[in-house]
Amino acid sequence: MRLLGAFSLVLGLLVAPELAPAQGTSVVTGTGTGAVLRTLDKVTGAVFDVEVASGQTMGYGTLEITLSECRYPASNPAGDAFAHLIVMDGSKRQDIFQGWMIASSPALMALDHARYDVWVLRCITS
């Protein structure tokens, strides 16, 4: 939780300095039960929004997408989402992405794949 708070602070300073928490304060986050991901097939143009539970792996084309965790600011659950994803290309049997994707800045940590795009929209809260 400390690492995510530090990451949020740095991200806030880069993206919107006026919205970043004051120095010395921490960002309290909640943990979602899952996440809503948006997928794009660049060849067909098909766009789908899918719900993935934490710990679940879903298939999309040749990709296998595992959601490890989804976190959100406790003070504003709809405000932003930080999802830890592991994306494997099933045809090559190798990880092509592993890390945190941020809903408000999808290009900051983006999946780099020739055919598919995947990004996080929001966490699923109870």
Side-chain angles (χ1 to χ4, degrees):
M1 186 151 130
R2 219 179 223 168
L3 178 61
L4 183 60
F7 183 72
S8 299
L9 177 62
V10 171
L11 179 65
L13 294 173
L14 293 174
V15 176
E18 67 279 2
L19 299 177
Q23 188 172 4
T25 63
S26 62
V27 177
V28 177
T29 60
T31 303
T33 58
V36 177
L37 305 178
R38 179 161 289 163
T39 59
L40 166 67
D41 184 328
K42 297 176 192 176
V43 174
T44 66
V47 177
F48 296 102
D49 291 352
V50 293
E51 291 186 2
V52 182
S54 293
Q56 180 181 358
T57 299
M58 65 162 277
Y60 180 66
T62 61
L63 302 182
E64 295 175 14
I65 305 162
T66 303
L67 173 67
S68 300
E69 184 175 16
C70 193
R71 293 191 162 266
Y72 57 89
S75 61
N76 186 7
D80 206 355
F82 301 83
H84 188 268
L85 299 174
I86 301 168
V87 182
M88 177 181 279
D89 189 332
S91 63
K92 298 177 185 175
R93 299 305 305 163
Q94 68 181 30
D95 287 350
I96 57 173
F97 179 87
Q98 183 170 356
W100 290 93
M101 281 191 183
I102 304 161
S104 63
S105 302
L108 186 63
M109 290 287 292
L111 169 67
D112 184 23
H113 191 272
R115 180 166 181 173
Y116 302 107
D117 276 343
V118 176
W119 62 98
V120 63
L121 295 178
R122 64 184 174 278
C123 291
I124 299 170
T125 59
S126 54

